[in-house]
PDB file of all heavy atoms in Angstrom:
ATOM      1  N   PRO A   1      -0.944  -5.906  -5.918  1.00  0.00           N
ATOM      2  CA  PRO A   1      -0.891  -4.450  -6.042  1.00  0.00           C
ATOM      3  C   PRO A   1       0.525  -3.885  -6.208  1.00  0.00           C
ATOM      4  O   PRO A   1       0.694  -2.691  -6.422  1.00  0.00           O
ATOM      5  CB  PRO A   1      -1.521  -3.956  -4.740  1.00  0.00           C
ATOM      6  CG  PRO A   1      -1.218  -5.040  -3.760  1.00  0.00           C
ATOM      7  CD  PRO A   1      -1.263  -6.320  -4.556  1.00  0.00           C
ATOM      8  N   GLY A   2       1.527  -4.739  -6.101  1.00  0.00           N
ATOM      9  CA  GLY A   2       2.894  -4.269  -6.307  1.00  0.00           C
ATOM     10  C   GLY A   2       3.507  -3.569  -5.111  1.00  0.00           C
ATOM     11  O   GLY A   2       4.580  -2.984  -5.216  1.00  0.00           O
ATOM     12  N   ARG A   3       2.815  -3.629  -3.996  1.00  0.00           N
ATOM     13  CA  ARG A   3       3.347  -3.060  -2.751  1.00  0.00           C
ATOM     14  C   ARG A   3       2.586  -3.674  -1.589  1.00  0.00           C
ATOM     15  O   ARG A   3       1.531  -4.288  -1.790  1.00  0.00           O
ATOM     16  CB  ARG A   3       3.235  -1.543  -2.744  1.00  0.00           C
ATOM     17  CG  ARG A   3       1.833  -1.034  -2.778  1.00  0.00           C
ATOM     18  CD  ARG A   3       1.858   0.458  -2.712  1.00  0.00           C
ATOM     19  NE  ARG A   3       0.520   0.981  -2.828  1.00  0.00           N
ATOM     20  CZ  ARG A   3       0.250   2.234  -3.000  1.00  0.00           C
ATOM     21  NH1 ARG A   3       1.221   3.104  -3.081  1.00  0.00           N
ATOM     22  NH2 ARG A   3      -0.976   2.647  -3.074  1.00  0.00           N
ATOM     23  N   PRO A   4       3.101  -3.537  -0.374  1.00  0.00           N
ATOM     24  CA  PRO A   4       2.422  -4.142   0.782  1.00  0.00           C
ATOM     25  C   PRO A   4       1.007  -3.587   0.972  1.00  0.00           C
ATOM     26  O   PRO A   4       0.751  -2.405   0.747  1.00  0.00           O
ATOM     27  CB  PRO A   4       3.320  -3.763   1.965  1.00  0.00           C
ATOM     28  CG  PRO A   4       4.666  -3.515   1.360  1.00  0.00           C
ATOM     29  CD  PRO A   4       4.386  -2.925   0.000  1.00  0.00           C
ATOM     30  N   ILE A   5       0.113  -4.466   1.383  1.00  0.00           N
ATOM     31  CA  ILE A   5      -1.258  -4.063   1.685  1.00  0.00           C
ATOM     32  C   ILE A   5      -1.280  -3.554   3.122  1.00  0.00           C
ATOM     33  O   ILE A   5      -0.833  -4.260   4.038  1.00  0.00           O
ATOM     34  CB  ILE A   5      -2.221  -5.255   1.515  1.00  0.00           C
ATOM     35  CG1 ILE A   5      -2.170  -5.761   0.070  1.00  0.00           C
ATOM     36  CG2 ILE A   5      -3.642  -4.859   1.909  1.00  0.00           C
ATOM     37  CD1 ILE A   5      -2.893  -7.080  -0.140  1.00  0.00           C
ATOM     38  N   PRO A   6      -1.799  -2.358   3.348  1.00  0.00           N
ATOM     39  CA  PRO A   6      -1.832  -1.823   4.722  1.00  0.00           C
ATOM     40  C   PRO A   6      -2.628  -2.734   5.661  1.00  0.00           C
ATOM     41  O   PRO A   6      -3.611  -3.373   5.261  1.00  0.00           O
ATOM     42  CB  PRO A   6      -2.543  -0.474   4.557  1.00  0.00           C
ATOM     43  CG  PRO A   6      -2.311  -0.098   3.125  1.00  0.00           C
ATOM     44  CD  PRO A   6      -2.311  -1.394   2.373  1.00  0.00           C
ATOM     45  N   GLU A   7      -2.184  -2.800   6.893  1.00  0.00           N
ATOM     46  CA  GLU A   7      -2.812  -3.651   7.909  1.00  0.00           C
ATOM     47  C   GLU A   7      -4.310  -3.372   8.020  1.00  0.00           C
ATOM     48  O   GLU A   7      -5.111  -4.313   8.127  1.00  0.00           O
ATOM     49  CB  GLU A   7      -2.128  -3.435   9.260  1.00  0.00           C
ATOM     50  CG  GLU A   7      -2.603  -4.370  10.351  1.00  0.00           C
ATOM     51  CD  GLU A   7      -2.196  -5.813  10.113  1.00  0.00           C
ATOM     52  OE1 GLU A   7      -1.129  -6.054   9.539  1.00  0.00           O
ATOM     53  OE2 GLU A   7      -2.969  -6.706  10.509  1.00  0.00           O
ATOM     54  N   ALA A   8      -4.712  -2.119   8.007  1.00  0.00           N
ATOM     55  CA  ALA A   8      -6.138  -1.778   8.125  1.00  0.00           C
ATOM     56  C   ALA A   8      -6.938  -2.376   6.972  1.00  0.00           C
ATOM     57  O   ALA A   8      -8.042  -2.892   7.176  1.00  0.00           O
ATOM     58  CB  ALA A   8      -6.320  -0.266   8.164  1.00  0.00           C
ATOM     59  N   ILE A   9      -6.402  -2.350   5.779  1.00  0.00           N
ATOM     60  CA  ILE A   9      -7.084  -2.920   4.615  1.00  0.00           C
ATOM     61  C   ILE A   9      -7.127  -4.440   4.730  1.00  0.00           C
ATOM     62  O   ILE A   9      -8.144  -5.067   4.396  1.00  0.00           O
ATOM     63  CB  ILE A   9      -6.399  -2.483   3.310  1.00  0.00           C
ATOM     64  CG1 ILE A   9      -6.406  -0.956   3.177  1.00  0.00           C
ATOM     65  CG2 ILE A   9      -7.034  -3.150   2.108  1.00  0.00           C
ATOM     66  CD1 ILE A   9      -7.771  -0.321   3.230  1.00  0.00           C
ATOM     67  N   GLN A  10      -6.068  -5.049   5.221  1.00  0.00           N
ATOM     68  CA  GLN A  10      -6.063  -6.496   5.423  1.00  0.00           C
ATOM     69  C   GLN A  10      -7.170  -6.905   6.393  1.00  0.00           C
ATOM     70  O   GLN A  10      -7.845  -7.914   6.174  1.00  0.00           O
ATOM     71  CB  GLN A  10      -4.707  -6.967   5.935  1.00  0.00           C
ATOM     72  CG  GLN A  10      -3.607  -6.879   4.893  1.00  0.00           C
ATOM     73  CD  GLN A  10      -2.304  -7.472   5.376  1.00  0.00           C
ATOM     74  OE1 GLN A  10      -2.292  -8.545   5.968  1.00  0.00           O
ATOM     75  NE2 GLN A  10      -1.206  -6.770   5.117  1.00  0.00           N
ATOM     76  N   ARG A  11      -7.360  -6.119   7.446  1.00  0.00           N
ATOM     77  CA  ARG A  11      -8.411  -6.433   8.421  1.00  0.00           C
ATOM     78  C   ARG A  11      -9.799  -6.306   7.802  1.00  0.00           C
ATOM     79  O   ARG A  11     -10.680  -7.117   8.058  1.00  0.00           O
ATOM     80  CB  ARG A  11      -8.297  -5.528   9.648  1.00  0.00           C
ATOM     81  CG  ARG A  11      -7.187  -5.938  10.595  1.00  0.00           C
ATOM     82  CD  ARG A  11      -7.301  -5.243  11.950  1.00  0.00           C
ATOM     83  NE  ARG A  11      -7.385  -3.799  11.874  1.00  0.00           N
ATOM     84  CZ  ARG A  11      -6.328  -2.975  11.845  1.00  0.00           C
ATOM     85  NH1 ARG A  11      -5.102  -3.474  11.883  1.00  0.00           N
ATOM     86  NH2 ARG A  11      -6.492  -1.669  11.773  1.00  0.00           N
ATOM     87  N   ILE A  12     -10.000  -5.292   6.962  1.00  0.00           N
ATOM     88  CA  ILE A  12     -11.306  -5.062   6.342  1.00  0.00           C
ATOM     89  C   ILE A  12     -11.631  -6.123   5.297  1.00  0.00           C
ATOM     90  O   ILE A  12     -12.736  -6.656   5.257  1.00  0.00           O
ATOM     91  CB  ILE A  12     -11.361  -3.658   5.686  1.00  0.00           C
ATOM     92  CG1 ILE A  12     -11.322  -2.578   6.768  1.00  0.00           C
ATOM     93  CG2 ILE A  12     -12.600  -3.500   4.815  1.00  0.00           C
ATOM     94  CD1 ILE A  12     -11.082  -1.187   6.223  1.00  0.00           C
ATOM     95  N   THR A  13     -10.658  -6.436   4.435  1.00  0.00           N
ATOM     96  CA  THR A  13     -10.917  -7.312   3.285  1.00  0.00           C
ATOM     97  C   THR A  13     -10.554  -8.763   3.512  1.00  0.00           C
ATOM     98  O   THR A  13     -11.057  -9.641   2.812  1.00  0.00           O
ATOM     99  CB  THR A  13     -10.134  -6.827   2.053  1.00  0.00           C
ATOM    100  OG1 THR A  13      -8.722  -6.974   2.299  1.00  0.00           O
ATOM    101  CG2 THR A  13     -10.461  -5.392   1.700  1.00  0.00           C
ATOM    102  N   GLY A  14      -9.632  -9.015   4.431  1.00  0.00           N
ATOM    103  CA  GLY A  14      -9.122 -10.366   4.609  1.00  0.00           C
ATOM    104  C   GLY A  14      -8.085 -10.746   3.565  1.00  0.00           C
ATOM    105  O   GLY A  14      -7.607 -11.867   3.536  1.00  0.00           O
ATOM    106  N   ILE A  15      -7.743  -9.806   2.690  1.00  0.00           N
ATOM    107  CA  ILE A  15      -6.744 -10.054   1.646  1.00  0.00           C
ATOM    108  C   ILE A  15      -5.383  -9.627   2.181  1.00  0.00           C
ATOM    109  O   ILE A  15      -5.187  -8.476   2.555  1.00  0.00           O
ATOM    110  CB  ILE A  15      -7.096  -9.297   0.353  1.00  0.00           C
ATOM    111  CG1 ILE A  15      -8.451  -9.783  -0.182  1.00  0.00           C
ATOM    112  CG2 ILE A  15      -5.999  -9.492  -0.697  1.00  0.00           C
ATOM    113  CD1 ILE A  15      -8.967  -8.976  -1.356  1.00  0.00           C
ATOM    114  N   THR A  16      -4.456 -10.577   2.202  1.00  0.00           N
ATOM    115  CA  THR A  16      -3.131 -10.330   2.758  1.00  0.00           C
ATOM    116  C   THR A  16      -2.069 -10.317   1.660  1.00  0.00           C
ATOM    117  O   THR A  16      -2.318 -10.743   0.527  1.00  0.00           O
ATOM    118  CB  THR A  16      -2.766 -11.432   3.762  1.00  0.00           C
ATOM    119  OG1 THR A  16      -2.685 -12.678   3.046  1.00  0.00           O
ATOM    120  CG2 THR A  16      -3.787 -11.543   4.881  1.00  0.00           C
ATOM    121  N   ASP A  17      -0.888  -9.868   2.025  1.00  0.00           N
ATOM    122  CA  ASP A  17       0.239  -9.889   1.085  1.00  0.00           C
ATOM    123  C   ASP A  17       0.509 -11.318   0.612  1.00  0.00           C
ATOM    124  O   ASP A  17       0.834 -11.540  -0.555  1.00  0.00           O
ATOM    125  CB  ASP A  17       1.501  -9.316   1.742  1.00  0.00           C
ATOM    126  CG  ASP A  17       1.372  -7.834   2.035  1.00  0.00           C
ATOM    127  OD1 ASP A  17       0.681  -7.120   1.280  1.00  0.00           O
ATOM    128  OD2 ASP A  17       1.971  -7.383   3.026  1.00  0.00           O
ATOM    129  N   GLU A  18       0.357 -12.278   1.509  1.00  0.00           N
ATOM    130  CA  GLU A  18       0.597 -13.675   1.151  1.00  0.00           C
ATOM    131  C   GLU A  18      -0.420 -14.164   0.121  1.00  0.00           C
ATOM    132  O   GLU A  18      -0.076 -14.940  -0.775  1.00  0.00           O
ATOM    133  CB  GLU A  18       0.550 -14.564   2.400  1.00  0.00           C
ATOM    134  CG  GLU A  18       1.690 -14.330   3.382  1.00  0.00           C
ATOM    135  CD  GLU A  18       1.512 -13.062   4.230  1.00  0.00           C
ATOM    136  OE1 GLU A  18       0.375 -12.589   4.408  1.00  0.00           O
ATOM    137  OE2 GLU A  18       2.547 -12.543   4.700  1.00  0.00           O
ATOM    138  N   LEU A  19      -1.672 -13.723   0.238  1.00  0.00           N
ATOM    139  CA  LEU A  19      -2.706 -14.139  -0.716  1.00  0.00           C
ATOM    140  C   LEU A  19      -2.446 -13.615  -2.123  1.00  0.00           C
ATOM    141  O   LEU A  19      -2.743 -14.289  -3.100  1.00  0.00           O
ATOM    142  CB  LEU A  19      -4.090 -13.665  -0.256  1.00  0.00           C
ATOM    143  CG  LEU A  19      -4.769 -14.466   0.826  1.00  0.00           C
ATOM    144  CD1 LEU A  19      -6.084 -13.801   1.239  1.00  0.00           C
ATOM    145  CD2 LEU A  19      -5.037 -15.881   0.361  1.00  0.00           C
ATOM    146  N   VAL A  20      -1.928 -12.407  -2.230  1.00  0.00           N
ATOM    147  CA  VAL A  20      -1.730 -11.818  -3.565  1.00  0.00           C
ATOM    148  C   VAL A  20      -0.358 -12.125  -4.153  1.00  0.00           C
ATOM    149  O   VAL A  20      -0.118 -11.853  -5.330  1.00  0.00           O
ATOM    150  CB  VAL A  20      -1.983 -10.289  -3.567  1.00  0.00           C
ATOM    151  CG1 VAL A  20      -3.420  -9.988  -3.177  1.00  0.00           C
ATOM    152  CG2 VAL A  20      -1.008  -9.553  -2.671  1.00  0.00           C
ATOM    153  N   ALA A  21       0.534 -12.709  -3.364  1.00  0.00           N
ATOM    154  CA  ALA A  21       1.860 -13.068  -3.880  1.00  0.00           C
ATOM    155  C   ALA A  21       1.704 -14.046  -5.043  1.00  0.00           C
ATOM    156  O   ALA A  21       1.030 -15.066  -4.925  1.00  0.00           O
ATOM    157  CB  ALA A  21       2.716 -13.683  -2.778  1.00  0.00           C
ATOM    158  N   GLY A  22       2.268 -13.715  -6.177  1.00  0.00           N
ATOM    159  CA  GLY A  22       2.190 -14.573  -7.351  1.00  0.00           C
ATOM    160  C   GLY A  22       0.948 -14.361  -8.197  1.00  0.00           C
ATOM    161  O   GLY A  22       0.806 -14.975  -9.251  1.00  0.00           O
ATOM    162  N   GLU A  23       0.031 -13.514  -7.743  1.00  0.00           N
ATOM    163  CA  GLU A  23      -1.160 -13.200  -8.538  1.00  0.00           C
ATOM    164  C   GLU A  23      -0.780 -12.185  -9.622  1.00  0.00           C
ATOM    165  O   GLU A  23       0.256 -11.527  -9.536  1.00  0.00           O
ATOM    166  CB  GLU A  23      -2.274 -12.651  -7.649  1.00  0.00           C
ATOM    167  CG  GLU A  23      -2.787 -13.648  -6.632  1.00  0.00           C
ATOM    168  CD  GLU A  23      -3.471 -14.851  -7.254  1.00  0.00           C
ATOM    169  OE1 GLU A  23      -3.993 -14.743  -8.390  1.00  0.00           O
ATOM    170  OE2 GLU A  23      -3.494 -15.910  -6.600  1.00  0.00           O
ATOM    171  N   PRO A  24      -1.617 -12.033 -10.649  1.00  0.00           N
ATOM    172  CA  PRO A  24      -1.251 -11.129 -11.738  1.00  0.00           C
ATOM    173  C   PRO A  24      -1.257  -9.663 -11.312  1.00  0.00           C
ATOM    174  O   PRO A  24      -2.023  -9.280 -10.427  1.00  0.00           O
ATOM    175  CB  PRO A  24      -2.333 -11.386 -12.791  1.00  0.00           C
ATOM    176  CG  PRO A  24      -3.502 -11.900 -12.028  1.00  0.00           C
ATOM    177  CD  PRO A  24      -2.911 -12.678 -10.877  1.00  0.00           C
ATOM    178  N   PRO A  25      -0.425  -8.856 -11.969  1.00  0.00           N
ATOM    179  CA  PRO A  25      -0.503  -7.409 -11.748  1.00  0.00           C
ATOM    180  C   PRO A  25      -1.781  -6.874 -12.393  1.00  0.00           C
ATOM    181  O   PRO A  25      -2.435  -7.569 -13.183  1.00  0.00           O
ATOM    182  CB  PRO A  25       0.749  -6.871 -12.452  1.00  0.00           C
ATOM    183  CG  PRO A  25       1.049  -7.890 -13.503  1.00  0.00           C
ATOM    184  CD  PRO A  25       0.606  -9.209 -12.931  1.00  0.00           C
ATOM    185  N   ILE A  26      -2.137  -5.648 -12.085  1.00  0.00           N
ATOM    186  CA  ILE A  26      -3.400  -5.072 -12.550  1.00  0.00           C
ATOM    187  C   ILE A  26      -3.532  -5.098 -14.073  1.00  0.00           C
ATOM    188  O   ILE A  26      -4.623  -5.368 -14.595  1.00  0.00           O
ATOM    189  CB  ILE A  26      -3.617  -3.641 -11.990  1.00  0.00           C
ATOM    190  CG1 ILE A  26      -5.035  -3.141 -12.297  1.00  0.00           C
ATOM    191  CG2 ILE A  26      -2.577  -2.680 -12.520  1.00  0.00           C
ATOM    192  CD1 ILE A  26      -6.133  -3.960 -11.666  1.00  0.00           C
ATOM    193  N   GLU A  27      -2.454  -4.868 -14.806  1.00  0.00           N
ATOM    194  CA  GLU A  27      -2.543  -4.844 -16.270  1.00  0.00           C
ATOM    195  C   GLU A  27      -2.989  -6.202 -16.822  1.00  0.00           C
ATOM    196  O   GLU A  27      -3.815  -6.267 -17.742  1.00  0.00           O
ATOM    197  CB  GLU A  27      -1.197  -4.454 -16.884  1.00  0.00           C
ATOM    198  CG  GLU A  27      -0.716  -3.071 -16.537  1.00  0.00           C
ATOM    199  CD  GLU A  27      -0.009  -2.988 -15.173  1.00  0.00           C
ATOM    200  OE1 GLU A  27       0.242  -4.035 -14.543  1.00  0.00           O
ATOM    201  OE2 GLU A  27       0.276  -1.852 -14.737  1.00  0.00           O
ATOM    202  N   VAL A  28      -2.473  -7.266 -16.262  1.00  0.00           N
ATOM    203  CA  VAL A  28      -2.841  -8.614 -16.699  1.00  0.00           C
ATOM    204  C   VAL A  28      -4.270  -8.936 -16.254  1.00  0.00           C
ATOM    205  O   VAL A  28      -5.065  -9.493 -17.016  1.00  0.00           O
ATOM    206  CB  VAL A  28      -1.838  -9.657 -16.161  1.00  0.00           C
ATOM    207  CG1 VAL A  28      -2.309 -11.073 -16.455  1.00  0.00           C
ATOM    208  CG2 VAL A  28      -0.458  -9.404 -16.745  1.00  0.00           C
ATOM    209  N   ALA A  29      -4.605  -8.580 -15.024  1.00  0.00           N
ATOM    210  CA  ALA A  29      -5.943  -8.853 -14.501  1.00  0.00           C
ATOM    211  C   ALA A  29      -7.010  -8.132 -15.321  1.00  0.00           C
ATOM    212  O   ALA A  29      -8.052  -8.715 -15.645  1.00  0.00           O
ATOM    213  CB  ALA A  29      -6.022  -8.445 -13.033  1.00  0.00           C
ATOM    214  N   ILE A  30      -6.755  -6.881 -15.686  1.00  0.00           N
ATOM    215  CA  ILE A  30      -7.716  -6.122 -16.505  1.00  0.00           C
ATOM    216  C   ILE A  30      -7.850  -6.754 -17.879  1.00  0.00           C
ATOM    217  O   ILE A  30      -8.962  -6.872 -18.411  1.00  0.00           O
ATOM    218  CB  ILE A  30      -7.306  -4.640 -16.611  1.00  0.00           C
ATOM    219  CG1 ILE A  30      -7.464  -3.953 -15.251  1.00  0.00           C
ATOM    220  CG2 ILE A  30      -8.115  -3.921 -17.684  1.00  0.00           C
ATOM    221  CD1 ILE A  30      -8.872  -3.793 -14.760  1.00  0.00           C
ATOM    222  N   ALA A  31      -6.754  -7.181 -18.477  1.00  0.00           N
ATOM    223  CA  ALA A  31      -6.810  -7.840 -19.784  1.00  0.00           C
ATOM    224  C   ALA A  31      -7.662  -9.108 -19.696  1.00  0.00           C
ATOM    225  O   ALA A  31      -8.459  -9.395 -20.605  1.00  0.00           O
ATOM    226  CB  ALA A  31      -5.409  -8.160 -20.290  1.00  0.00           C
ATOM    227  N   ARG A  32      -7.547  -9.850 -18.620  1.00  0.00           N
ATOM    228  CA  ARG A  32      -8.358 -11.061 -18.436  1.00  0.00           C
ATOM    229  C   ARG A  32      -9.831 -10.710 -18.249  1.00  0.00           C
ATOM    230  O   ARG A  32     -10.714 -11.404 -18.757  1.00  0.00           O
ATOM    231  CB  ARG A  32      -7.834 -11.868 -17.257  1.00  0.00           C
ATOM    232  CG  ARG A  32      -6.485 -12.499 -17.531  1.00  0.00           C
ATOM    233  CD  ARG A  32      -5.960 -13.242 -16.325  1.00  0.00           C
ATOM    234  NE  ARG A  32      -4.627 -13.781 -16.588  1.00  0.00           N
ATOM    235  CZ  ARG A  32      -3.847 -14.316 -15.672  1.00  0.00           C
ATOM    236  NH1 ARG A  32      -4.252 -14.407 -14.411  1.00  0.00           N
ATOM    237  NH2 ARG A  32      -2.646 -14.769 -15.988  1.00  0.00           N
ATOM    238  N   LEU A  33     -10.113  -9.640 -17.521  1.00  0.00           N
ATOM    239  CA  LEU A  33     -11.496  -9.184 -17.348  1.00  0.00           C
ATOM    240  C   LEU A  33     -12.094  -8.776 -18.689  1.00  0.00           C
ATOM    241  O   LEU A  33     -13.234  -9.145 -19.007  1.00  0.00           O
ATOM    242  CB  LEU A  33     -11.564  -8.028 -16.362  1.00  0.00           C
ATOM    243  CG  LEU A  33     -12.939  -7.368 -16.213  1.00  0.00           C
ATOM    244  CD1 LEU A  33     -13.973  -8.353 -15.667  1.00  0.00           C
ATOM    245  CD2 LEU A  33     -12.830  -6.132 -15.336  1.00  0.00           C
ATOM    246  N   VAL A  34     -11.344  -8.034 -19.482  1.00  0.00           N
ATOM    247  CA  VAL A  34     -11.823  -7.607 -20.797  1.00  0.00           C
ATOM    248  C   VAL A  34     -12.089  -8.826 -21.680  1.00  0.00           C
ATOM    249  O   VAL A  34     -13.097  -8.890 -22.396  1.00  0.00           O
ATOM    250  CB  VAL A  34     -10.823  -6.626 -21.444  1.00  0.00           C
ATOM    251  CG1 VAL A  34     -11.149  -6.375 -22.908  1.00  0.00           C
ATOM    252  CG2 VAL A  34     -10.796  -5.317 -20.673  1.00  0.00           C
ATOM    253  N   ALA A  35     -11.215  -9.808 -21.632  1.00  0.00           N
ATOM    254  CA  ALA A  35     -11.421 -11.043 -22.411  1.00  0.00           C
ATOM    255  C   ALA A  35     -12.680 -11.764 -21.943  1.00  0.00           C
ATOM    256  O   ALA A  35     -13.458 -12.266 -22.762  1.00  0.00           O
ATOM    257  CB  ALA A  35     -10.200 -11.948 -22.298  1.00  0.00           C
ATOM    258  N   PHE A  36     -12.912 -11.813 -20.638  1.00  0.00           N
ATOM    259  CA  PHE A  36     -14.121 -12.426 -20.092  1.00  0.00           C
ATOM    260  C   PHE A  36     -15.348 -11.686 -20.586  1.00  0.00           C
ATOM    261  O   PHE A  36     -16.337 -12.292 -21.002  1.00  0.00           O
ATOM    262  CB  PHE A  36     -14.081 -12.421 -18.561  1.00  0.00           C
ATOM    263  CG  PHE A  36     -15.375 -12.786 -17.919  1.00  0.00           C
ATOM    264  CD1 PHE A  36     -15.753 -14.118 -17.785  1.00  0.00           C
ATOM    265  CD2 PHE A  36     -16.235 -11.816 -17.418  1.00  0.00           C
ATOM    266  CE1 PHE A  36     -16.956 -14.470 -17.187  1.00  0.00           C
ATOM    267  CE2 PHE A  36     -17.431 -12.155 -16.818  1.00  0.00           C
ATOM    268  CZ  PHE A  36     -17.799 -13.488 -16.698  1.00  0.00           C
ATOM    269  N   ALA A  37     -15.313 -10.370 -20.570  1.00  0.00           N
ATOM    270  CA  ALA A  37     -16.464  -9.554 -20.970  1.00  0.00           C
ATOM    271  C   ALA A  37     -16.768  -9.680 -22.451  1.00  0.00           C
ATOM    272  O   ALA A  37     -17.931  -9.651 -22.857  1.00  0.00           O
ATOM    273  CB  ALA A  37     -16.216  -8.096 -20.604  1.00  0.00           C
ATOM    274  N   GLY A  38     -15.729  -9.833 -23.272  1.00  0.00           N
ATOM    275  CA  GLY A  38     -15.957  -9.934 -24.709  1.00  0.00           C
ATOM    276  C   GLY A  38     -16.699  -8.725 -25.232  1.00  0.00           C
ATOM    277  O   GLY A  38     -16.340  -7.587 -24.924  1.00  0.00           O
ATOM    278  N   ASP A  39     -17.784  -8.957 -25.943  1.00  0.00           N
ATOM    279  CA  ASP A  39     -18.599  -7.862 -26.493  1.00  0.00           C
ATOM    280  C   ASP A  39     -19.752  -7.483 -25.588  1.00  0.00           C
ATOM    281  O   ASP A  39     -20.588  -6.658 -25.962  1.00  0.00           O
ATOM    282  CB  ASP A  39     -19.139  -8.257 -27.876  1.00  0.00           C
ATOM    283  CG  ASP A  39     -18.037  -8.379 -28.906  1.00  0.00           C
ATOM    284  OD1 ASP A  39     -17.010  -7.668 -28.780  1.00  0.00           O
ATOM    285  OD2 ASP A  39     -18.191  -9.185 -29.840  1.00  0.00           O
ATOM    286  N   ASP A  40     -19.844  -8.089 -24.408  1.00  0.00           N
ATOM    287  CA  ASP A  40     -20.942  -7.798 -23.498  1.00  0.00           C
ATOM    288  C   ASP A  40     -20.815  -6.390 -22.922  1.00  0.00           C
ATOM    289  O   ASP A  40     -19.728  -5.819 -22.845  1.00  0.00           O
ATOM    290  CB  ASP A  40     -20.969  -8.805 -22.340  1.00  0.00           C
ATOM    291  CG  ASP A  40     -21.349 -10.196 -22.807  1.00  0.00           C
ATOM    292  OD1 ASP A  40     -21.838 -10.343 -23.933  1.00  0.00           O
ATOM    293  OD2 ASP A  40     -21.134 -11.143 -22.018  1.00  0.00           O
TER     294      ASP A  40
END
């Protein structure tokens, strides 16, 4: 997300700053989703 994940959100989702470190930013992730979807 490009910024620290709030503690309350980490507790709810289990997703931590360490888990998302090195993962794609939203622009890249959306492009990958669109490629997956294709014409569907």
Side-chain angles (χ1 to χ4, degrees):
R3 64 178 176 191
I5 300 170
E7 186 68 33
I9 300 303
Q10 290 185 44
R11 283 194 306 272
I12 292 168
T13 66
I15 299 173
T16 64
D17 293 328
E18 292 77 23
L19 281 176
V20 298
E23 296 295 334
I26 189 62
E27 297 83 8
V28 173
I30 291 292
R32 291 177 183 170
L33 174 63
V34 169
F36 169 81
D39 293 330
D40 292 346

